[in-house]
Amino acid sequence: MPALLGSPLADGYMAASPFDTARRPVDASARFAPAVDAQIVAIAVPEAPVRLAGILVEGEGRRVLFAGEAGWQGIGSSIGSWSVATVDPGLVTLRRGDETLTLRSLEALQR
């Protein structure tokens, strides 16, 4: 990293040839100027939607199976930050606050 002109590093230690016998270390108060102000920026990463693995509809009993989740889930079950809203043949609706996610069984087979 180059030292700034006029700084103790540029005028003293860094200005002398490395083979100069008069070259002396710089005092402890000398500092390098930061090249770039570092900033940490948090970026919201969208949650990956759950993957539908199966739908079971038997009369009033409605269940859904998600890939990576243990067991069948019913209406009102929580899957991550989503909640199962409806389970119909070939179609499952999830809700998270005001958001709605519709999963179709045919789309699950294409992944």
Side-chain angles (χ1 to χ4, degrees):
M1 174 187 313
L4 297 176
L5 293 177
S7 74
L9 293 174
D11 294 340
Y13 185 76
M14 299 299 286
S17 165
F19 304 106
D20 186 353
T21 57
R23 184 175 171 151
R24 299 283 181 260
V26 185
D27 68 0
S29 65
R31 302 271 188 251
F32 283 104
V36 177
D37 289 333
Q39 293 181 357
I40 298 174
V41 178
I43 299 173
V45 177
E47 181 182 332
V50 291
R51 184 169 173 217
L52 184 62
I55 298 173
L56 178 63
V57 178
E58 291 181 333
E60 294 300 313
R62 295 168 183 264
R63 302 260 182 231
V64 61
L65 182 65
F66 296 103
E69 297 291 326
W72 292 86
Q73 307 294 321
I75 295 173
S77 297
S78 295
I79 305 298
S81 61
W82 295 91
S83 175
V84 178
T86 64
V87 178
D88 294 309
L91 182 74
V92 175
T93 304
L94 303 177
R95 289 218 172 89
R96 177 174 64 184
D98 294 336
E99 296 177 275
T100 301
L101 177 63
T102 302
L103 304 173
R104 300 182 195 295
S105 59
L106 293 177
E107 294 169 357
L109 298 174
Q110 297 172 358
R111 290 186 186 181

